Amino acid sequence: MTTTDHNTRPTTTPAPHTRFPESFLWGSATAAYQIEGAVREDGRTASIWDTFSHTPGKVLGGDTGDVAVDHYHRWRDDVRLMADLGLTAYRFSVAWPRVQPTGRGPAVQRGLDFYRALVDELLTHGITPMATLYHWDLPQELENAGGWPERDTAYRFAEYAGLVGEALGDRVERWVTLNEPWCSAFLGYGSGVHAPGRTDPAAALRAAHHLNLGHGLATSALRSVLPARAGIGISLNPSVVRPLTDSPADLDARRRIDALANRVFTGPLIDGAYPQDLISDTARVTDWSFVQDADLASIHHPLDFIGINYYTPAVVSGPRGDQDGDAARLDGHGASDHSPWPGSDDVVFHRAPGELTAMNWSVDPTGLTDLLLEYTAQAPGVPLYVTENGAAYEDTVDADGRVHDPDRIRYLHAHLSAVHEAVRRGADVRGYFLWSLLDNFEWAYGYSKRFGAVYVDYATQARIPKSSADWYARVARAGTLPALDD
């Protein structure tokens, strides 16, 4: 979304003891399949991630979310942990197959009771809940019927949203319909590195549209059951796409990836239309006849807020003879013989400059400032939340029983500085949700990558707050970002 050349990135140099707005929410975020476990308890049935993770070769080490970090049984302790860390907000996701096991019909009250109790405990501790309705765990029965490439899935999602909204609407005031629909569509149905593991570029584009439609229909369903004070938004993972050079080929590569990574969602959500260049770029893949006459009006609801998930920028070029970037699939989304970029699979991705996290993602906080300012310009008057930001590092327990992670502290300091810079320049950012509260099942990487502020010993389920958790707790309590060496 930004045309900033990756070789001339601005830097962020915060003043010591930078203060955030008084009402700023200091939170953390999780996803149901990554933490809950208990995949066969209280009526829950399989999601696409249950099926995918149990398919040999799909997840590193054969790991699954069957137990995860056992949050389904340890949620009271985890909420107390949040309170001890000074969090004022928590973004959790609702497991669709725990509430509506087949993706159709009435809700399972035992499933809803779990989330009712969780939210009540959060409120008891003064922690504001933010509920995400879809963080990738589509009921397997709906995938068997065609999944997100099928239009009916959008209607099923709206029905599910209404059930959850009716159950929790008296307790939860902030609602996220979808988390990172780009991943659901293009990693799930394009490159196949995420569940359900399909590799059909036309299906990926149909899925993207039906996710957009699902958001719109779910928004209508929620508004019919929620109090007027409730806010409804969506969490996107927009890509900061930077051209390798200013050559026409590289600038066009940037435009093409921007259309597929960003404008395929912001076009209908914010502008009420798909960009014409996206349709032209993908004409050899699909004719877009799956977009029906009233769809764009259904999608284009006013947004009460937009969630921004940010980790690293992308650097792209046009096709190159050496294909140095494409050989390693440096778009950062995992190795596959199939591209997640329909109609633009000849674009080459390059390693962005900067130090690397354990995910081999470049650290560049300026991208977060760029995104927040870009969305402020695109959707004036719509508040923003950073609904995910964080980093994986090679965390270990020291001889003293503690986990020291200075790299993560530096990462968080730099990115919170970037948020404050955006606020200083006019962005209406209402809160920051650290990804993640706990080490957990990291999708196709299994348990090999640790993003948590809290270390989890997977053998014993013991929780050990890392030094970054203690640091973040001090920042949250003070509402102030100290100098890094304080």
Side-chain angles (χ1 to χ4, degrees), residues 83-419:
D84 291 343
L85 295 178
L87 299 187
T88 57
Y90 175 54
R91 184 170 82 97
F92 65 96
S93 80
V94 177
W96 190 347
R98 196 178 292 287
V99 168
Q100 199 183 31
T102 66
R104 305 172 189 274
V108 173
Q109 291 304 313
R110 288 171 295 174
L112 288 174
D113 286 345
F114 169 72
Y115 297 106
R116 289 184 180 107
L118 173 64
V119 169
D120 286 347
E121 190 77 4
L122 291 167
L123 294 172
T124 296
H125 287 275
I127 299 170
T128 296
M130 179 182 282
T132 299
L133 287 168
Y134 187 72
H135 202 132
W136 309 351
D137 44 7
L138 183 71
Q140 182 61 44
E141 191 162 319
L142 290 184
E143 174 58 26
N144 294 344
W148 284 109
E150 292 299 320
R151 185 178 185 86
D152 186 62
T153 304
Y155 292 98
R156 302 285 68 74
F157 179 62
E159 179 185 61
Y160 154 72
L163 293 173
V164 181
E166 193 168 22
L168 301 181
D170 60 337
R171 299 163 167 87
V172 177
E173 294 188 6
R174 291 173 179 84
W175 293 81
V176 174
T177 55
L178 305 171
N179 180 78
E180 298 186 358
W182 186 89
C183 295
S184 297
F186 295 102
L187 300 185
Y189 295 94
S191 67
V193 299
H194 277 194
R198 290 162 60 180
T199 54
D200 179 345
L205 290 167
R206 292 198 307 273
H209 174 64
H210 294 141
L211 284 154
N212 283 332
L213 180 61
H215 158 80
L217 296 173
T219 298
S220 293
L222 287 172
R223 293 210 188 282
S224 71
V225 297
L226 294 179
R229 67 179 182 276
I232 304 169
I234 187 170
S235 284
L236 304 172
N237 59 317
S239 184
V240 178
V241 189
R242 292 170 173 157
L244 184 67
T245 72
D246 287 334
S247 71
D250 291 359
L251 291 172
D252 189 60
R254 182 220 162 263
R255 178 198 61 75
R256 289 159 65 191
I257 297 303
D258 176 61
L260 283 165
N262 301 318
R263 291 183 285 120
V264 67
F265 299 109
T266 58
L269 288 170
I270 296 174
D271 301 324
Y274 284 103
Q276 188 57 51
D277 63 327
L278 169 69
I279 295 172
S280 298
D281 290 344
T282 56
R284 64 184 173 89
V285 179
T286 181
D287 62 5
W288 289 81
S289 59
F290 47 80
V291 180
Q292 297 187 9
D293 289 344
D295 286 1
L296 291 168
S298 295
I299 297 166
H300 189 216
H301 284 281
L303 291 160
D304 294 319
F305 63 87
I306 298 173
I308 302 293
N309 297 355
Y310 173 77
Y311 294 94
T312 191
V315 176
V316 300
S317 73
R320 297 167 65 88
D322 55 9
Q323 295 290 295
D324 60 333
D326 189 63
R329 183 55 66 192
L330 292 175
D331 59 9
H333 298 298
S336 172
D337 292 333
H338 302 271
S339 172
W341 307 105
S344 293
D345 48 346
D346 58 343
V347 168
V348 183
F349 286 77
H350 302 265
R351 180 84 67 200
E355 65 179 272
L356 302 177
T357 70
M359 296 289 290
N360 284 322
W361 293 346
S362 299
V363 177
D364 184 353
T366 66
L368 182 52
T369 303
D370 291 344
L371 283 177
L372 294 170
L373 293 174
E374 185 77 18
Y375 272 77
T376 296
Q378 281 199 15
V382 179
L384 305 175
Y385 291 90
V386 179
T387 42
E388 285 186 28
N389 177 241
Y393 289 104
E394 301 294 340
D395 302 318
T396 57
V397 181
D398 293 344
D400 62 2
R402 300 187 62 196
V403 180
H404 300 279
D405 57 340
D407 288 341
R408 186 174 285 103
I409 292 174
R410 286 192 294 271
Y411 180 99
L412 295 177
H413 187 277
H415 285 78
L416 285 169
S417 297
V419 174

